């Protein structure tokens, strides 16, 4: 492409203007020339006509002159004379006009040299005829003549006759010449009509070279440029699509974390294959010291590979990848330095792109893509970056999976340990329950026999024996109580306490406790007082055995530590649909720092080392657990030497018939 | 304590696989004047009850082979023993036995361990509406 051809289309405008101007100029010239030629033709025609008339006039002059000089003329001589005079005047004027032009005769007088020459040739004859005719007119009219007309009129007629023939011959030549010139003018017009269209056509055709050719070239250039732009756009589109596909791949993989690892990785491999242009995608595990390459995950044409399939590591392209410790890309093995690599001999893979992957800080293997076909274009930096990113992703995915598996394993271990612990606990509780039952049965027999003896049902015994049986009975009873506590604690620890709500009369409950516990008072110095809030409903829903156990434990405790004063039991309503069981004593009290300890199993306020009071130390622990099981809570308020107050607060569950107790403020 | 005649003329059958429990109950009942027949298992209890037609049968519930539930069933099934009151002796540990026993047709229940001091009164309370049929 030359420089002139590369001019932009805007430079064509002057050319177009010039071309049009030339054509318009040609048209104007053509029309002007045609106009001139046509004018000339008209003038020649007029001259021919007038020349013809001159011939006729000269003959009339001759005839008139002859008639005047002939005595037996038919017509009056005056008439002939006038005619002759008019003819001579007109003839002379026309002759003058033909040579010099005249508006009167519509003549231009523009005669060619030939015509001028011809006129000059006949000028003497003309002059002779005119003077002769004038002399005849003067002689015959008897008028004075300025000229010298000395001869006889007949002499002048002879002069006219003598010159007429030559004059007519000259005029014929002039008419002929005019006709020749007229024909030439017509030819000129014809020539113009032929020449100018040809010229215009030539200019038109020339303009196609001058204007259209550059225009065509310019258009062709634009088409070329458009084609190139189209190609660039297509390439850009393909690039954009590739990027979009890769972005989609990243989005997809970022959302696939819930899937199994194998599926996640295969999805990634498949997605990358599509965007990078390969047929086989592999995540490999490489153990260089074993020279082992294992296919961990892969995507390939049907049946080409299997997960777990092994290769000799040194006979794979991945060997080069690990050596490079970066992306290795081969577009066409046969044309590359790797054409001698054993992998090519084994697999005939023509293209390959692979990146090392590291898991948990240790070299794991590679992510690689390959094909038996050459890669049609060079792998770009973008391709390599993408493979690196995907390699990182695969690394992280494997790490996550490892961590997940580890976590699951730990959880499983924990679960097993927990299940074993639970089972052991259950077995322990079951054992304790069985043992307690087995322990109580013979103990009950001991207690039973002691009671038989103490009550004289087995016959009379002396006081000493009675005393000993009494001790036997007391110790057996205490042992039974201990066993019961252990059994209850075991049940509580095994979470086998079931709460069963049934209708209960609180007044009946309190009065039976009053009867039951009054015998526990250590001496007559301890008074037992019970009181019930009148605002409480008559019947509520409660687990009577557990509630009884709680009250008995707290009262037993109170009596145990009270040597004088009072032990009181108060049942009262409490805010928020609750009620309270309050056990108050005037006993030894509990040191502040021991208030929490007393609720722990196997502990007493004085500490386990100094057992000044009987009991397992389980009573309060059991009480607290039972209260909790009934969705309540227990608090203790105590002052050393003054006494203790245990307050149990429980939700108040109303029996249906007591749903709206009269007089209740609850 | 002086001998009582609260159960004078009564025939009582006690069925339990624990001999010492039987012995304690026997002594308490005899103390109050009752004639006591003991059986170490359900099957034996059925034989003794069928033979002696007692005023009341006291039976433990859980015994190997032939238990208290079966004993009740057989006593109720035979015409000659169907009217004999039967009281269940329930273990403290076996929650829910009391309710089940009442539904099954026992006349009442007494929770073990049996107290020699209250046993007779408990029996009489349970059987209150029932007149002793014996002499």
């Amino acid at each position: 492409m030359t420089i002139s051809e590369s001019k932009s289309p805007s430079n064509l405008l002057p050319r177009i203007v010039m071309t049009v101007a030339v054509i318009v100029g040609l048209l104007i010239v053509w029309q002007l020339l045609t106009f001139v030629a046509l004018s000339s033709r008209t003038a020649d025609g007029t001259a021919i006509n007038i020349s013809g008339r001159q011939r006729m006039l000269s003959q009339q002059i001759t005839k008139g002159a002859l008639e005047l000089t002939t005595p037996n003329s038919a017509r009056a001589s005056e008439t002939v004379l006038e005619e002759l005079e008019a003819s001579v005047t007109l003839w002379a004027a026309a002759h003058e006009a033909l040579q010099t032009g005249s508006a009167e005769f519509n003549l231009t007088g523009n005669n060619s040299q030939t015509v001028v020459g011809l006129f000059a040739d006949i000028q003497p004859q003309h002059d002779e005829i005119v003077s002769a005719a004038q002399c005849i007119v003067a002689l015959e009219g008897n008028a004075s003549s300025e000229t010298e007309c000395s001869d006889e009129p007949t002499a002048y007629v002879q002069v006219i006759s003598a010159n007429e023939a030559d004059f007519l011959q000259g005029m014929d030549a002039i008419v002929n010449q005019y006709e020749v010139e007229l024909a030439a003018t017509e030819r000129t017009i014809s020539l113009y009509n032929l020449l100018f269209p040809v010229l215009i056509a030539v200019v038109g055709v020339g303009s196609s070279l001058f204007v259209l050719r550059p225009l065509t070239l310019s258009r062709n250039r634009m088409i070329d440029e458009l084609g190139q732009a189209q190609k660039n756009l297509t390439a850009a589109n393909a690039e954009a699509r590739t990027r979009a596909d890769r972005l989609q791949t990243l989005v997809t993989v970022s959302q696939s974390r819930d899937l199994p690892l194998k599926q996640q990785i295969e999805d990634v491999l498949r997605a990358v294959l599509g965007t990078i242009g390969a047929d086989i995608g592999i995540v490999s595990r490489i153990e260089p010291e074993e020279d082992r390459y294992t296919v961990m995950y892969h995507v390939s044409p049907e049946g080409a590979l299997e997960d777990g399939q092994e290769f000799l590591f040194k006979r794979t392209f991945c060997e080069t990848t690990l050596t490079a410790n970066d992306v290795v890309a081969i577009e066409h093995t046969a044309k590359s330095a790797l054409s001698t690599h054993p992998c090519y001999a084994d697999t005939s893979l023509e293209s390959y792109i692979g990146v090392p992957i590291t898991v948990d800080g240790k070299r794991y293997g590679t992510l690689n893509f390959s094909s038996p076909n050459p890669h049609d274009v060079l792998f770009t930096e973008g391709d390599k970056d993408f493979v690196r990113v995907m390699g990182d992703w695969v690394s992280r995915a494997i790490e996550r999976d490892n961590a997940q598996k580890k976590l699951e394993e730990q959880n499983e271990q924990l679960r097993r340990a927990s299940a074993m612990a639970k089972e052991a606990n259950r077995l322990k509780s079951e054992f304790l329950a069985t043992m307690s039952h087995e322990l109580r049965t013979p103990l009950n027999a001991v207690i039973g026999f002691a009671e038989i003896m103490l009550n004289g049902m087995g016959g009379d015994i002396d006081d000493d024996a009675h005393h000993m049986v009494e001790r036997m009975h007391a110790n057996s009873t205490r042992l039974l109580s201990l066993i019961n506590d252990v059994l209850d604690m075991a049940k509580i620890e095994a979470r086998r306490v079931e709460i069963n709500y049934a209708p209960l009369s609180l007044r009946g409950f309190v009065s039976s406790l009053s009867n039951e516990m009054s015998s526990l008072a250590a001496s007559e110095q301890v008074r037992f007082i019970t009181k019930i809030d009148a605002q409480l409903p008559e019947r509520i829903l409660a687990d009577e055995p557990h509630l009884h156990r709680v009250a008995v434990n707290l009262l037993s405790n109170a009596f145990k530590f009270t040597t004088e004063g009072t032990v009181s039991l108060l049942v009262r309503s409490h805010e928020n649909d609750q009620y309270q069981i309050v056990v108050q004593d005037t006993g030894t009290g509990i040191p502040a720092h021991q208030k929490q300890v007393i609720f722990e199993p196997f502990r007493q306020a004085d500490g386990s080392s100094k057992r000044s009071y009987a009991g397992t130390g389980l009573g309060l622990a059991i009480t607290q657990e039972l209260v909790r099981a009934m969705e309540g809570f227990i608090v203790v308020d105590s002052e050393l030497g003054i006494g203790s107050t245990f307050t149990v607060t429980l939700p108040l569950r109303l029996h249906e018939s007591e749903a709206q107790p009269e007089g209740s403020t609850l | 304590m002086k001998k009582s005649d609260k159960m004078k003329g009564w025939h009582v059958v006690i069925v339990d696989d624990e001999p010492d429990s039987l012995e304690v109950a026997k002594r308490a009942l005899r103390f109050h004047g009752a004639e006591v027949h003991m059986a170490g298992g359900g099957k034996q209890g059925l034989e003794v009850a069928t033979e002696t037609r007692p005023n009341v049968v006291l039976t433990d519930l859980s015994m190997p082979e032939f238990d208290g539930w079966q004993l009740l069933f057989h006593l109720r099934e035979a015409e000659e023993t169907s009217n004999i009151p039967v009281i269940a002796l329930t273990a403290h540990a076996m929650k829910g036995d009391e309710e089940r026993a009442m539904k099954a047709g026992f006349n009442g229940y007494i929770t073990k361990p049996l107290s020699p001091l209250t046993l007779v009164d408990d029996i009489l309370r349970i059987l209150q509406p029932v007149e002793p049929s014996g002499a």
Side-chain angles (χ1 to χ4, degrees), chain A residues 583-595:
Chain A
V583 174
Q584 197 163 23
D585 65 52
T586 55
T588 54
I590 305 158
H593 67 278
Q594 297 278 10
K595 278 181 190 170

Side-chain angles (χ1 to χ4, degrees), chain B residues 40-81:
Chain B
K43 196 164 186 177
Q44 194 193 346
L46 181 60
E47 285 165 12
V48 174
T50 307
E51 189 187 323
T52 60
R53 309 285 180 86
N55 299 88
V56 65
V57 174
L58 308 179
T59 179
D60 187 21
L61 284 178
S62 70
M63 288 179 291
E65 293 172 20
F66 201 109
D67 65 17
W69 308 98
Q70 283 172 286
L71 175 58
L72 176 73
F73 175 78
H74 284 102
L75 287 174
R76 291 283 184 261
E77 200 176 46
E79 202 182 328
E80 61 269 32
T81 57

Side-chain angles (χ1 to χ4, degrees), chain A residues 172-188:
Chain A
D172 284 345
I174 287 169
V175 169
N176 275 340
Q177 183 60 36
Y178 274 132
E179 282 175 349
V180 167
E181 287 180 5
L182 184 65
T185 304
E186 298 235 319
R187 278 200 304 279
T188 302

Side-chain angles (χ1 to χ4, degrees), chain A residues 437 440-441 444-445 447-449 451-452 454-458 460 480 484 487-488 491 500 545-546, chain B residues 1-3 18-21 23-25 27-28 31-32 91-93 95 112-117:
Chain A
H437 179 69
R440 282 193 307 179
T441 302
N444 282 328
I447 293 167
F449 282 118
E451 285 176 352
I452 297 278
L454 288 174
N455 289 286
M457 292 175 182
D460 292 334
L480 182 63
N484 283 341
L487 175 64
D488 286 347
K491 274 190 196 164
N500 299 302
H546 287 136
Chain B
M1 194 184 272
K2 286 182 181 175
K3 274 213 167 192
E18 288 163 11
D20 285 345
S21 294
E23 185 67 21
V24 169
R27 285 178 179 270
F31 183 74
H32 291 284
H92 178 69
K95 282 230 155 76
K112 295 212 304 183
L114 298 176
S115 164
L117 301 178

Side-chain angles (χ1 to χ4, degrees), chain A residues 138-443:
Chain A
L139 291 176
E140 292 294 327
N142 296 319
S144 61
S145 175
E146 292 160 10
T147 54
E148 293 178 11
C149 298
S150 55
D151 290 336
E152 286 295 310
T154 50
Y156 290 111
V157 169
Q158 280 187 341
V159 171
I160 291 170
S161 296
N163 286 301
E164 191 192 352
D166 288 344
F167 182 80
L168 285 175
Q169 202 178 343
M171 278 313 290
D172 284 345
I174 287 169
V175 169
N176 275 340
Q177 183 60 36
Y178 274 132
E179 282 175 349
V180 167
E181 287 180 5
L182 184 65
T185 304
E186 298 235 319
R187 278 200 304 279
T188 302
I189 290 171
S190 297
L191 185 65
Y192 289 164
N193 285 346
L194 182 68
L195 184 67
F196 279 93
V198 168
L199 267 178
I200 289 168
V202 166
V203 169
V205 171
S207 75
S208 72
L209 294 171
F210 187 61
V211 175
L212 293 180
R213 170 88 179 131
L215 200 64
T216 307
L217 289 171
S218 167
R219 195 201 57 186
N220 289 346
R221 196 169 61 243
M222 279 168 74
I223 288 170
D224 287 347
E225 283 170 2
L226 275 174
Q228 190 58 39
Q230 180 76 35
K231 274 184 197 166
N232 291 345
L233 196 63
T234 306
N237 275 343
E239 176 76 15
R241 198 164 50 241
T242 302
R243 285 181 187 202
D245 285 350
R246 289 176 180 180
L247 202 59
Q248 182 60 48
T249 304
L250 294 173
V251 169
T252 304
V253 304
S254 70
Q255 289 172 342
S256 66
R257 291 191 176 191
D258 294 339
L259 298 174
L261 182 65
K262 180 177 158 66
Q263 199 176 333
Q264 284 185 49
I265 292 184
E266 285 177 2
D267 285 352
V268 166
L269 292 176
R270 213 167 281 121
V272 177
L273 280 187
T275 168
I276 209 143
D279 297 304
I280 304 162
I282 298 174
V283 170
S284 68
R285 180 92 178 89
I286 293 171
E287 294 148 293
E289 62 281 1
E290 310 277 342
D291 193 16
R292 187 185 297 142
Y293 171 106
T294 312
V295 177
M296 300 303 286
Y297 309 97
H298 81 285
V299 169
S300 70
E302 193 79 25
L305 278 172
E306 282 175 23
D307 282 353
Q309 197 169 342
E310 291 182 3
F311 295 91
L312 293 175
F313 165 57
K314 291 202 174 65
R315 298 186 72 86
T316 65
F317 285 142
C318 290
E319 177 256 338
T320 64
T321 310
L322 287 201
T323 305
N325 197 27
D326 194 8
V327 174
V328 167
I330 312 163
E331 288 84 5
H332 195 167
T333 314
K335 293 181 179 172
S336 77
L338 288 167
S339 59
T340 55
H341 196 280
C343 183
Y344 187 52
D346 290 353
T347 64
S348 304
L349 287 172
E350 287 290 6
S351 62
Y352 167 95
I353 184 165
V355 65
I357 56 179
T358 302
V359 170
D360 292 327
K362 288 178 196 155
R363 170 70 68 239
Y364 180 89
T366 62
L367 166 67
N368 67 79
F369 302 93
S370 55
S371 172
N373 305 311
H375 201 255
D376 47 8
V377 291
L378 289 179
F379 285 112
T380 63
E381 279 308 310
D383 292 336
K384 292 177 185 176
D385 281 345
F386 183 59
V387 169
R388 274 188 203 105
V389 167
M390 295 323 296
D392 277 350
W393 184 87
V394 168
S395 300
R396 300 295 91 75
I398 294 172
E399 282 173 4
R400 274 200 306 277
D401 192 59
N402 287 348
Q404 181 69 24
K405 278 181 185 154
K406 204 169 171 185
L407 194 66
E408 276 167 13
E409 203 171 300
Q410 284 172 349
N411 282 345
E412 175 61 17
Q413 280 174 0
L414 277 174
R415 202 188 56 75
R416 270 203 298 267
S418 168
M420 278 169 70
K422 272 185 190 163
E423 176 63 6
N425 205 39
R426 194 187 65 78
L427 287 172
K428 184 192 79 176
S429 300
E430 217 163 71
F431 171 77
L432 278 173
T434 309
M435 278 309 292
S436 297
H437 179 69
E438 294 302 318
L439 287 169
R440 282 193 307 179
T441 302
L443 197 52

